[in-house]
């Protein structure tokens, strides 16, 4: 998925469900996160979100300049804020590199690589996060927010501008 443009999400935007990405290249996209998938209560009392991404590349994505461009150029996954459910993300053997974020709101900057939130569990296994850039150094490569759990195994985080990880609102990292 190459050279897409959007105003809130550039390459893939979806809600609820089960998603599998294998050997996918998501590169050179502009406008919001390259991939944004989250749960929304749409009559479903038990929302499910399961994303598995393996052997994939998320590279050189830029959120653009507009007010709704989002927080960074990489990946964003969110469970449901008020309805507990089965919310899970796994990234295996992925390269998340050279993404950009220009977001800054009241001193809180964006996320260039992976943003997970709202009661989601994310397993990051054998992944590389490198050469990602945030315009404001309060930003980071990986953000967990609102009771997310982030588990990082055998992965490399290198040469990024900004923090490696930010954790907000009852989030755990292992």
């Amino acid at each position: 998925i190459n050279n897409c443009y959007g105003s809130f999400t550039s390459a893939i935007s979806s809600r609820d469900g089960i998603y599998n990405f294998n050997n996918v290249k998501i590169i050179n996209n502009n406008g919001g996160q390259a991939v944004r998938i989250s749960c929304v209560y749409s009559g479903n009392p038990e929302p499910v979100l399961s994303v598995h991404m393996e052997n994939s590349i998320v590279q050189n994505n830029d959120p653009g300049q507009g007010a709704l461009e989002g927080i960074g150029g990489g990946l964003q996954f969110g469970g449901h804020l008020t309805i507990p459910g089965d919310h899970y993300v796994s990234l295996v053997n992925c390269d998340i590199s050279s993404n950009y974020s220009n977001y800054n709101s009241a001193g809180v900057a964006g996320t260039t690589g992976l943003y997970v939130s709202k009661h989601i569990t994310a397993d990051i296994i054998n992944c590389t996060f490198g050469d990602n850039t945030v315009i404001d150094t309060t930003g980071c490569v990986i953000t967990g927010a609102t009771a997310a759990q982030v588990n990082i195994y055998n992965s490399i985080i290198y040469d990024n501008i900004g923090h490696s990880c930010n954790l907000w609102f009852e989030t755990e990292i292992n």
Side-chain angles (χ1 to χ4, degrees):
I1 302 171
N2 190 9
N3 293 320
C4 296
Y5 179 80
S7 66
F8 204 54
T9 304
S10 56
I12 299 169
S13 179
S14 195
R15 306 207 184 259
D16 301 330
I18 299 170
Y19 302 88
N20 291 297
F21 302 96
N22 195 359
N23 295 313
V24 175
K25 292 182 181 179
I26 303 167
I27 57 175
N28 301 320
N29 298 291
N30 186 278
Q33 284 83 16
V35 176
R36 180 188 203 98
I37 303 174
S38 60
C39 286
V40 173
Y41 183 74
S42 55
N44 181 358
E46 297 179 15
V48 172
L49 179 63
S50 178
V51 179
H52 179 74
M53 183 176 281
E54 188 167 353
N55 300 319
S56 295
I57 297 171
V58 179
Q59 187 175 68
N60 200 34
N61 297 289
D62 186 326
Q65 301 292 329
L68 295 177
E69 300 303 344
I71 57 167
L75 306 169
Q76 180 175 351
F77 303 110
H80 197 281
L81 184 59
T82 60
I83 301 172
D86 184 14
H87 314 307
Y88 180 72
V89 171
S90 65
L91 303 177
V92 180
N93 298 324
C94 293
D95 176 11
I96 298 154
S97 61
S98 300
N99 297 293
Y100 181 77
S101 175
N102 59 357
Y103 180 83
N104 185 320
S105 176
V108 177
T111 302
T112 56
L114 174 65
Y115 182 95
V116 292
S117 65
K118 301 177 192 134
H119 308 282
I120 203 161
T121 298
D123 288 335
I124 301 168
I125 304 163
N126 299 327
C127 292
T128 301
F129 292 81
D131 297 318
N132 296 288
T133 302
V134 289
I135 194 84
D136 186 312
T137 57
T138 62
C140 65
V141 178
I142 300 170
T143 294
T146 317
Q149 180 177 341
V150 180
N151 304 305
I152 302 173
Y153 306 98
N154 197 36
S155 295
I156 299 169
I157 302 172
Y158 76 97
D159 285 344
N160 298 288
I161 296 175
H163 298 290
S164 293
C165 298
N166 278 344
L167 307 176
W168 302 91
F169 311 112
E170 301 176 23
T171 295
E172 297 178 17
I173 189 165
N174 299 307

